[in-house]
Amino acid sequence: MQIAIVLYDRFTALDAVGPYETLGRLPDAETVFVAEETGPVRADTGDLALVADRTLAEVPAPGIVVVPGGPGQTPQMANTALLDWLRAADATSTWTTSVCTGSLLLAAAGLLTGRRATSHWLALDHLAHYGARPTGERVVTDGKYVTAAGVSAGIDMGLTLLGRIAGDDHARAVQLLTEYDPQPPYDAGSPDKAPAHLVAEFRGQGRFTLTQARSR
Amino acid sequence: MQIAIVLYDRFTALDAVGPYETLGRLPDAETVFVAEETGPVRADTGDLALVADRTLAEVPAPGIVVVPGGPGQTPQMANTALLDWLRAADATSTWTTSVCTGSLLLAAAGLLTGRRATSHWLALDHLAHYGARPTGERVVTDGKYVTAAGVSAGIDMGLTLLGRIAGDDHARAVQLLTEYDPQPPYDAGSPDKAPAHLVAEFRGQGRFTLTQARSR
């Protein structure tokens, strides 16, 4: 089983690394970071690059496709090479998955039409615009399509799918070894829990951009 | 403010990316991935490389030091170049931090002697051996030293320190934008919650190695 995690300019790093560190512990699987070209691919902050070890063309038929999101995904939604690869890979994949606004890329490729799916909370309306049926859940499974909410939700998605494929015991082992016993110091991780002024601030910016958090 | 995240061969990727995605959203700060040499540094699974943009020598005095852990940290505990850099950087840092077994590197550098600290649950005895006073908490602050438990605890550590430096409101904004509202599909993230046979299995292996999760 090959797990292909797709990188593109200005992706959000944790969107990719969450599933890598959980789902990537699938027994007898190979995780491959892929992009249009091999080499470093810079994340949205500009401060970090992950290496794509293989081109999209070199990995035409992965068993699992993982698409991260990020404020940089907008240009990718018109990237026909990437969308063509997603459609072709999806034709033979066992699972097609996304984290955060990665679901917008799947939707732009026409893969989520009429399906229940999720995305970053600021992108749910956008997802509907592309023909999916957004839900407010953190991890949504519709057939072979598994989509996760924003950024950190990729960890929950990775463990969920890992359990589905390799069994609950293996997923619990990975949860234990990654010591995923979350204790956030605040309770502001969703729009219904965060202070209203923060939710309004980000909704008011009209467009999802995580990097704005640094210039507040 | 410079935030230096230290990479070395066979580090655990999420240990580094958790703090990057949270603490790295500190206003007016620059996050720099550093290693002995610039270029790709391969993580413990072998399936992913992060790029070190600067050498340790090029970043001699960061305001914040972040040391990830990993099953590959053992050889680093005898790496005098790395330990010397940690000691020198710590001499002028405002905060010196670690995730998972990164605390073993800080302890090996002599920086945690007599201090309260934490590490991956399988490494707490090891941490005591190096002179620290291990606690079972997820994030431990002792003076300017902030240590986190295993792998995913770096996200909680990053948000905790972000709030301390930039204020609660900013940390909540980052939590909201990373949608960190964890909903793990299992409740097995710590040795007191996981099934006893899993805890015994990993304790019985005598040595912490996350990569073993793939070959169970």
Side-chain angles (χ1 to χ4, degrees):
Chain A
M1 171 80 89
Q2 234 180 1
I3 303 169
I5 303 181
V6 180
L7 301 180
Y8 54 83
D9 189 45
R10 300 192 66 229
F11 72 104
T12 296
L14 185 54
D15 291 18
V17 173
Y20 153 84
E21 203 72 88
T22 49
L23 181 58
R25 309 278 173 181
L26 187 64
D28 306 318
E30 175 202 24
T31 299
V32 191
F33 283 82
V34 297
E36 285 189 80
E37 296 175 15
T38 59
V41 181
R42 202 136 293 260
D44 52 2
T45 63
D47 293 336
L48 171 61
L50 269 61
V51 176
D53 286 319
R54 309 277 284 279
T55 64
L56 295 174
E58 288 170 337
V59 183
I64 303 177
V65 176
V66 180
V67 184
Q73 108 287 19
T74 312
Q76 306 303 331
M77 292 175 73
N79 178 341
T80 51
L82 178 57
L83 298 186
D84 284 349
W85 182 86
L86 287 174
R87 276 185 287 261
D90 178 69
T92 53
S93 72
T94 305
W95 299 96
T96 296
T97 78
S98 65
V99 179
C100 196
T101 53
S103 58
L104 296 182
L105 290 174
L106 294 182
L111 303 178
L112 297 181
T113 306
R115 295 194 179 275
R116 294 174 64 255
T118 193
S119 191
H120 191 282
W121 63 274
L122 278 169
L124 292 173
D125 289 348
H126 228 64
L127 187 62
H129 175 75
Y130 280 89
R133 293 188 291 129
T135 87
E137 294 158 281
R138 190 157 172 86
V139 177
V140 175
T141 303
D142 185 337
K144 73 173 191 180
Y145 299 91
V146 190
T147 53
V151 191
S152 60
I155 300 172
D156 295 330
M157 189 273 280
L159 283 176
T160 300
L161 189 50
L162 184 63
R164 180 88 177 252
I165 300 172
D168 295 340
D169 212 48
H170 187 78
R172 287 193 185 98
V174 171
Q175 183 181 9
L176 176 60
L177 286 177
T178 55
E179 213 162 338
Y180 185 47
D181 179 29
Q183 295 170 27
Y186 306 96
D187 189 18
S190 70
D192 55 313
K193 294 177 178 175
H197 74 276
L198 290 177
V199 176
E201 176 184 341
F202 295 119
R203 282 204 200 280
Q205 288 169 352
R207 170 173 174 278
F208 166 59
T209 163
L210 187 60
T211 47
Q212 287 174 334
R214 284 211 289 201
S215 51
R216 288 178 71 243
Chain B
M1 171 81 90
Q2 234 179 0
I3 303 169
I5 303 181
V6 180
L7 301 181
Y8 53 84
D9 189 46
R10 302 192 65 229
F11 72 103
T12 296
L14 185 54
D15 291 19
V17 172
Y20 152 84
E21 204 71 87
T22 49
L23 182 59
R25 309 278 172 180
L26 187 65
D28 304 319
E30 175 202 23
T31 299
V32 192
F33 283 82
V34 297
E36 284 189 82
E37 297 176 13
T38 58
V41 182
R42 203 136 290 261
D44 51 4
T45 63
D47 293 335
L48 171 62
L50 269 61
V51 176
D53 286 319
R54 309 278 285 277
T55 65
L56 294 173
E58 288 171 336
V59 183
I64 304 178
V65 176
V66 180
V67 184
Q73 107 288 16
T74 312
Q76 307 302 330
M77 293 176 71
N79 178 341
T80 51
L82 178 57
L83 298 185
D84 284 350
W85 181 86
L86 286 174
R87 277 185 285 263
D90 178 70
T92 53
S93 72
T94 305
W95 299 97
T96 296
T97 77
S98 65
V99 179
C100 195
T101 52
S103 57
L104 296 182
L105 290 174
L106 295 182
L111 303 178
L112 296 181
T113 306
R115 294 194 180 276
R116 294 174 63 254
T118 193
S119 192
H120 191 280
W121 63 274
L122 279 169
L124 291 172
D125 290 348
H126 227 65
L127 187 61
H129 175 76
Y130 280 88
R133 293 190 291 130
T135 86
E137 293 158 283
R138 190 156 171 88
V139 177
V140 175
T141 303
D142 185 337
K144 74 173 188 178
Y145 299 91
V146 189
T147 53
V151 192
S152 59
I155 300 173
D156 295 330
M157 189 273 279
L159 282 176
T160 300
L161 189 51
L162 184 63
R164 180 89 177 251
I165 300 172
D168 295 340
D169 211 48
H170 187 77
R172 287 193 186 99
V174 170
Q175 184 181 8
L176 176 59
L177 286 177
T178 54
E179 213 162 337
Y180 186 46
D181 179 28
Q183 295 170 28
Y186 306 96
D187 190 19
S190 71
D192 56 314
K193 294 176 179 176
H197 74 276
L198 290 178
V199 175
E201 175 185 342
F202 294 119
R203 282 204 200 280
Q205 288 169 351
R207 171 173 172 277
F208 165 59
T209 161
L210 186 60
T211 47
Q212 288 174 334
R214 282 211 289 199
S215 51
R216 288 178 71 244

